[in-house]
Amino acid sequence: MVEGPVEEFLCTRIRRAEQALMAHHESVLRTYGLSMTQYTVLLALSRGGGMSGAQLARSCGVTQQSMSSVLANMETKGLIRREASPVHAKVQIATLTEEGQALLDRAYQEVTILERALTDAFTPSEHAALCELLERATSVLAQQTRRAAT
């Protein structure tokens, strides 16, 4: 038997917040011709330099097969380039092109508008507390996921 309204469960609230965040980002990114995964790839490459498809798949939370098609599409658009790894000839290393960096810079400016709006919605102490609480929630969710997988 379920006790209390489902909309009051923490998991439901976290899911609703995540859905609202994704809907916003997808709407903004669509105007730049980017999917959320493509944007995440651009961010990862801008912060981490060259990365393999497997590294990017883990970073974006998608399968290697999905990432392979995402990277092929991004390469066709001229947003990334892929070259053989100097360490493993069969591994392709993706890097940002100037065009990819320029597109990321434009999209990032718009995405950060939401970040500023969210930050402004809280006092500094509320913001710090919310960040700490979300980190704790994420840790519990990861622990429970590992436990469920065993």
Side-chain angles (χ1 to χ4, degrees), residues 33-35 38 66-80 82:
L34 292 170
S35 68
Q38 290 172 328
S66 293
M67 184 53 65
S68 179
S69 64
V70 167
L71 293 176
N73 180 277
M74 292 177 76
E75 189 173 32
T76 299
K77 289 181 175 181
L79 302 176
I80 64 163
R82 292 189 288 178

Side-chain angles (χ1 to χ4, degrees), residues 49-113:
M51 297 173 76
S52 70
Q55 290 170 314
L56 288 165
R58 282 189 299 277
S59 175
C60 296
V62 299
T63 65
Q64 287 187 30
Q65 294 83 359
S66 293
M67 184 53 65
S68 179
S69 64
V70 167
L71 293 176
N73 180 277
M74 292 177 76
E75 189 173 32
T76 299
K77 289 181 175 181
L79 302 176
I80 64 163
R81 78 176 58 76
R82 292 189 288 178
E83 298 172 350
S85 166
V87 179
H88 302 287
K90 292 185 179 182
V91 174
Q92 295 283 305
I93 302 298
T95 56
L96 276 180
T97 62
E98 285 184 24
E99 185 177 340
Q101 184 65 58
L103 182 61
L104 172 61
D105 291 344
R106 290 192 310 275
Y108 184 79
Q109 292 305 310
E110 200 158 336
V111 168
T112 58
I113 291 170

Side-chain angles (χ1 to χ4, degrees), residues 4-146:
V6 171
E7 60 274 2
E8 292 180 9
F9 292 170
L10 279 177
C11 289
T12 301
R13 290 171 187 260
I14 291 169
R15 181 166 159 58
R16 284 193 356 240
E18 191 263 345
Q19 286 174 326
L21 176 65
M22 293 302 291
H24 174 271
H25 282 2
E26 287 171 2
S27 175
V28 167
L29 295 174
R30 195 174 309 117
T31 65
Y32 294 94
L34 292 170
S35 68
M36 191 64 198
T37 302
Q38 290 172 328
Y39 177 75
T40 306
V41 166
L42 293 176
L43 270 178
L45 292 176
S46 74
R47 293 177 178 159
M51 297 173 76
S52 70
Q55 290 170 314
L56 288 165
R58 282 189 299 277
S59 175
C60 296
V62 299
T63 65
Q64 287 187 30
Q65 294 83 359
S66 293
M67 184 53 65
S68 179
S69 64
V70 167
L71 293 176
N73 180 277
M74 292 177 76
E75 189 173 32
T76 299
K77 289 181 175 181
L79 302 176
I80 64 163
R81 78 176 58 76
R82 292 189 288 178
E83 298 172 350
S85 166
V87 179
H88 302 287
K90 292 185 179 182
V91 174
Q92 295 283 305
I93 302 298
T95 56
L96 276 180
T97 62
E98 285 184 24
E99 185 177 340
Q101 184 65 58
L103 182 61
L104 172 61
D105 291 344
R106 290 192 310 275
Y108 184 79
Q109 292 305 310
E110 200 158 336
V111 168
T112 58
I113 291 170
L114 175 62
E115 184 69 32
R116 285 190 297 273
L118 282 170
T119 299
D120 292 346
F122 301 99
T123 67
S125 61
E126 288 173 332
H127 181 269
L130 179 58
C131 289
E132 192 278 323
L133 292 169
L134 288 170
E135 286 298 323
R136 195 179 327 158
T138 300
S139 177
V140 170
L141 291 166
Q143 284 175 348
Q144 292 299 312
T145 301
R146 284 191 297 275

